[in-house]
Amino acid sequence: MERKPTVLLAVTILCLALPRAALSQKPLSPPIDTPAPAPAPRDVNLTDLLSLAGPYNTFLSYLIKTDVIKTFQTQANDTDHPTPGITIFAPEDSAFAALNKSALSNLTADRLRELMLCHALPRYHPLSTFSSLAASGPVPTFAGGACAVNVTYDAGRIRVVSSWGKAARLVSSVYSTPPAAVYALDRVLLPDQVFPTEPEVAAAAPVPAPAPAPGKRRGGDATDGGVTDAAADGEKSSASGRGFGAGRVLAGYMLLGLVGFAVLLM
């Protein structure tokens, strides 16, 4: 009974101290959602990219010869430009080989430079923007509005149209990371700003049909359900394997029966 006042006193002190402790704690401030910084554009060396990426040696040689490669590289490096980045349409070596040799050899240095400038847009365009590019009409190139190109977009098939010849098909995306995009073309763009008359272009070689699979066929070919000798031999070996397996199972049962009979006799 003597402990009751002491216990009551301790409980009272605790009750008075708890609110003060709770009030003395400062409320936690809500966390500030700081957005992550945008990744910096990657540095890209266009000369190295075109020389290592594939069959673009002819295109690269003309870019170097006309110093257009410096113009393209400067644009790619200028990330503070109002319209940063660059999009390059790189014809494959086979596209240049299809052109009549005199088509390019007869061009003046200024005309050749202009032709190279017509193969790039002064802005980075990923593939996701090509549908809107197709709807926007002619797209100006580095050579200016007079050498604008048209982009067509049909169910994912992209083509680039210049003044002369058939539309160039966009074969693949060679490189597409800001600030630079490089796309392969199967034809050289031929603007009338550079070529007053249409240059001669060789027809594309037909793609050979795939050779039939080796092996003598009997009872028809693959299209009418024929079976090759190799397939028939495989079926025979499979059947003989199944017969051999069944014989082994039967021999096992007979052996077990004999053992059981011997045990009964003992």
Side-chain angles (χ1 to χ4, degrees):
M1 297 296 293
E2 295 179 358
R3 293 183 180 177
K4 264 188 180 181
T6 306
V7 172
L8 288 175
L9 179 60
V11 170
T12 304
I13 292 173
L14 284 173
C15 291
L16 292 174
L18 282 174
R20 287 185 181 179
L23 290 174
S24 64
Q25 292 179 357
K26 294 182 180 179
L28 296 175
S29 57
I32 301 173
D33 188 12
T34 306
R42 294 184 183 179
D43 293 331
V44 55
N45 186 308
L46 297 176
T47 302
D48 291 346
L49 176 61
L50 289 170
S51 62
L52 298 174
Y56 313 106
N57 294 324
T58 307
F59 179 57
L60 178 59
S61 67
Y62 283 124
L63 292 180
I64 295 173
K65 180 179 179 179
T66 57
D67 279 344
V68 171
I69 190 66
K70 295 179 180 178
T71 302
F72 290 173
Q73 189 65 61
T74 300
Q75 176 72 14
N77 293 342
D78 189 5
T79 55
D80 295 329
H81 196 276
T83 56
I86 185 171
T87 299
I88 299 174
F89 297 118
E92 297 177 335
D93 289 341
S94 57
F96 282 98
L99 274 178
N100 188 300
K101 292 182 180 179
S102 62
L104 297 179
S105 61
N106 290 341
L107 292 178
T108 64
D110 290 340
R111 289 295 188 190
L112 184 59
R113 175 180 171 80
E114 204 167 17
L115 177 62
M116 294 300 104
L117 291 172
C118 289
H119 282 78
L121 311 178
R123 186 166 192 166
Y124 169 72
H125 290 286
L127 283 176
S128 58
T129 64
F130 273 73
S131 58
S132 58
L133 278 179
S136 67
V139 185
T141 65
F142 272 87
C147 194
V149 296
N150 286 287
V151 175
T152 65
Y153 186 92
D154 181 19
R157 292 186 292 270
I158 302 171
R159 297 182 184 274
V160 183
V161 185
S162 56
S163 306
W164 299 116
K166 294 182 179 180
R169 182 168 59 95
L170 196 152
V171 179
S172 64
S173 174
V174 180
Y175 182 89
S176 183
T177 301
V182 180
Y183 302 110
L185 297 184
D186 67 345
R187 289 178 177 270
V188 179
L189 300 179
L190 304 172
D192 55 8
Q193 181 181 349
V194 176
F195 300 98
T197 58
E198 183 174 359
E200 183 182 346
V201 181
V207 179
K216 186 172 125 184
R217 298 181 181 276
R218 63 186 179 187
D221 57 18
T223 58
D224 58 14
V227 181
T228 62
D229 289 338
D233 293 341
E235 289 180 0
K236 288 179 182 177
S237 62
S238 176
S240 63
R242 288 195 296 269
F244 180 70
R248 291 183 64 181
V249 172
L250 180 59
Y253 278 119
M254 291 177 65
L255 181 61
L256 285 174
L258 291 173
V259 171
F261 183 71
V263 171
L264 289 174
L265 292 178
M266 293 174 63

